[in-house]
Amino acid sequence: MSNPASDLGQPADVLIVGGGSAGATLAARLSEDPDRRVLLLEAGPAFTSDEVPAELSNAEHVPVPTFDWGYTARGGSSTADMAVPRGRVLGGSSAVNAAVAIRARRHDVQSWQSHGVEGWPWDEVLESFKALENTDSGSDAQHGRTGPVSVRQRRFDELTPSLRGFIDASIADGYKHVDDFNGTEPEGVGACPVNIVDGVRQSSAVAYLTGEVRRRPNLTIVGDVVVDKVLFDGKTATGIISSTNKIYAAKEVILSGGTYGSAAILLRSGVGPARDLTALGIATIADLPVGQHLQDQPIFYNAYSLATNAVQMSPAVGALLWFRSSLAEGDELDLHISATHLLDGSYSPTGGAIVLAAAVVLPESVGTLTISSTDPNVQPVIDNNFLATERDRLRMLEGVKTSRRLARGPVFGPLQAGELIPGDAVHDDTLLEAVAANLATYGHPTSTVPMGGAADPAAVVDSVGTVRGVQNLRVVDASIIPRVPSTVTNLTTIMVAEHIYRRAYTR
């Protein structure tokens, strides 16, 4: 606990549930006002910067099972069960992810307007992105220099030989080279920006909850608190109750438990589809479509053994091809091929491996999150519903065929010693079947508590995260993003917190 002498007997002005990408950001920003008492509750350990174990600080460790919620999900019609890792520690998934630091595109954010979202024009969103960032690369017009999150552009010469080979192979195949995926023209291939400094993962906890911030007398951080539900007086949120029946009172509650966690808490609290709540014996506070519009990005790990002259595997992350499928609409960039060394080298006969992971990053398919019990220790029921549309299936197949073509071409071919997954025995006529049966999550779930206007039937919260039909309750995290962005989501989730802080608390 930070500031253990803080008086928890008095209601906090703001109680934040979840210290992940959004929650840590909000705790730091809201406690800048010394007259605002902020309480942050984290389900996992709330390590100080001096206590962070090596498996969390070392960015080469992905995932980190010790600090994971252990969630599983139905993948799709051919993938019955898959792991969906989420960080259970201060910093949330930003403390355990691959630390790729790429923003949502302008096109992604502008698509939110079709849901009736207001107050998110791109010029203001860009300022929120810049406010969170400190980087020494890119243009001043596009990048921040003094924000909390340290973003560093990988250089071509610091990549492994095979990651460099992937970039060279993509350029030889006709894709343009990208110097800055967070610039105005991210289509193409290049080295990734990362929130890693000297090998240390810069999670939201590291970036925002510094020692100086945690010493603020008006900020209290309590770890190892699993939140059961929000407490209400009529329609007004008054605090939360934990899984151990401890009550924390507050004048305002902000849920930042993530796409799975925040939705599950709302459902246990009586905010969700009334029919489902009634079936579980939960009194309905607000009949809203919580959990009915889950989106995540399906990914397939096309893996190769590395040739004996190219077995270097560190840094593990660093190259990306971001491109348009043949079925892309308008300005969409709907496919990724992410080149990493996140597959253990022991799976390869040469001791070195590379994964060219193909992902549909703007899927049409929509899944669901429900609960089967009122017990907060029972996992939610997650159905990703991947590849539920023909267009998603065709785009996934196109992505994997592209990764195979690049891997077997004249530039990259000499760097690999054979395909591990799905294997050379799988030909084009059975490739979709093999892919669909072995999908994984890219790890960027959104949209279980989506933002929207009053006329949007999918909306659960308004444009600053206020839950409809109740008072003094917000949700601020990736769950409120109306449509999954076409890239990784950590920086965008932090931006959402920064932007709502600016709009709801400083104007």
Side-chain angles (χ1 to χ4, degrees):
M1 178 189 296
S2 292
N3 296 325
S6 296
D7 182 10
L8 297 182
Q10 296 181 17
D13 292 314
V14 181
L15 187 162
I16 303 166
V17 176
S21 298
T25 302
L26 287 170
R29 291 305 192 197
L30 289 171
S31 63
E32 288 176 358
D33 179 351
D35 294 325
R36 181 185 289 126
R37 293 164 44 84
V38 178
L39 172 61
L40 173 61
L41 302 180
E42 165 56 42
F47 296 120
T48 66
S49 57
D50 295 334
E51 298 170 338
V52 176
E55 60 187 316
L56 288 176
S57 62
N58 186 344
E60 303 282 285
H61 290 177
V62 181
V64 187
T66 308
F67 301 100
D68 185 74
W69 279 93
Y71 294 133
T72 60
R74 174 184 177 270
S77 61
S78 300
T79 312
D81 195 54
M82 64 172 59
V84 284
R86 295 283 88 192
R88 183 171 175 164
V89 66
L90 197 65
S93 294
S94 76
V96 299
N97 65 9
V100 173
I102 299 179
R103 308 167 178 168
R105 298 176 60 221
R106 180 177 191 150
H107 175 272
D108 296 325
V109 175
Q110 289 179 333
S111 74
W112 301 355
Q113 294 175 7
S114 66
H115 297 269
V117 173
E118 300 176 341
W120 296 74
W122 177 249
D123 59 338
E124 293 184 16
V125 168
L126 178 60
E127 290 307 307
S128 294
F129 272 125
K130 291 169 67 175
L132 70 86
E133 178 186 45
N134 76 76
T135 187
D136 55 5
S137 61
S139 69
D140 288 346
Q142 297 295 317
H143 289 280
R145 306 302 185 196
T146 60
V149 182
S150 298
V151 175
R152 299 294 179 263
Q153 175 62 49
R154 290 276 199 222
R155 302 186 314 274
F156 183 80
D157 61 5
E158 73 180 292
L159 301 179
T160 67
S162 56
L163 293 179
R164 295 197 298 267
F166 170 75
I167 292 173
D168 290 339
S170 300
I171 292 171
D173 201 57
Y175 296 100
K176 73 173 185 177
H177 182 261
V178 176
D179 292 316
D180 181 6
F181 282 114
N182 289 323
T184 57
E185 298 181 6
E187 182 177 4
V189 67
C192 294
V194 293
N195 48 294
I196 300 169
V197 177
D198 297 328
V200 177
R201 183 187 285 111
Q202 304 295 298
S203 72
S204 61
V206 171
Y208 281 90
L209 299 177
T210 63
E212 180 180 1
V213 169
R214 294 180 70 153
R215 286 190 292 271
R216 291 173 181 166
N218 61 317
L219 173 62
T220 301
I221 302 173
V222 185
D224 299 309
V225 178
V226 174
V227 171
D228 179 2
K229 58 188 176 183
V230 178
L231 298 175
F232 289 93
D233 180 3
K235 299 280 189 177
T236 301
T238 60
I240 65 91
I241 186 168
S242 76
S243 62
T244 59
N245 293 317
K246 184 168 184 178
I247 292 174
Y248 296 85
K251 299 175 184 177
E252 179 184 8
V253 175
I254 302 177
L255 299 183
S256 297
T259 293
Y260 305 146
S262 289
I265 292 169
L266 285 175
L267 292 170
R268 291 194 298 270
S269 306
V271 177
R275 183 176 61 181
D276 295 349
L277 300 178
T278 299
L280 289 169
I282 301 171
T284 300
I285 303 294
D287 183 7
L288 294 168
V290 173
Q292 300 304 296
H293 297 89
L294 169 66
Q295 279 207 296
D296 199 355
Q297 301 154 333
I299 195 167
F300 179 78
Y301 298 124
N302 180 210
Y304 296 84
S305 293
L306 290 172
T308 54
N309 64 343
V311 293
Q312 180 185 338
M313 293 179 61
S314 182
V317 172
L320 176 69
L321 173 60
W322 194 358
F323 63 112
R324 294 170 51 86
S325 75
S326 61
L327 298 175
E329 298 175 350
D331 191 34
E332 289 181 340
L333 297 180
D334 56 344
L335 290 178
H336 276 193
I337 298 176
S338 174
T340 72
H341 298 295
L342 296 177
L343 180 67
D344 194 311
S346 65
Y347 289 96
S348 164
T350 65
I354 188 170
V355 175
L356 307 184
V360 178
V361 291
L362 286 176
E364 293 179 323
S365 303
V366 174
T368 58
L369 180 145
T370 59
I371 58 173
S372 61
S373 170
T374 59
D375 184 344
N377 295 306
V378 174
Q379 291 192 8
V381 179
I382 303 165
D383 183 355
N384 283 319
N385 198 32
F386 285 154
L387 305 189
T389 72
E390 181 70 6
R391 182 166 173 258
D392 282 359
R393 290 189 289 273
L394 291 173
R395 289 186 293 168
M396 176 57 79
L397 186 61
E398 182 177 344
V400 177
K401 285 183 175 180
T402 302
S403 68
R404 292 182 117 187
R405 183 180 73 243
L406 295 173
R408 296 170 177 180
V411 177
F412 191 85
L415 298 172
Q416 57 105 338
E419 187 177 72
L420 297 170
I421 305 171
D424 292 326
V426 178
H427 302 291
D428 282 356
D429 58 341
T430 57
L431 182 57
L432 180 58
E433 180 182 352
V435 168
N438 293 280
L439 291 173
T441 170
Y442 205 176
H444 308 131
T446 65
S447 313
T448 54
V449 189
M451 285 190 290
D456 182 6
V460 176
V461 301
D462 68 11
S463 298
V464 288
T466 303
V467 177
R468 297 193 176 283
V470 300
Q471 288 75 51
N472 298 348
L473 177 63
R474 293 184 200 269
V475 181
V476 182
D477 55 27
S479 73
I480 72 172
I481 297 172
R483 185 187 184 195
V484 66
S486 59
T487 186
V488 299
T489 51
N490 181 45
L491 285 194
T492 301
T493 304
I494 296 173
M495 177 278 292
V496 166
E498 287 274 10
H499 198 69
I500 289 179
Y501 167 70
R502 287 171 167 226
R503 292 192 61 217
Y505 295 97
T506 65
R507 293 183 178 179

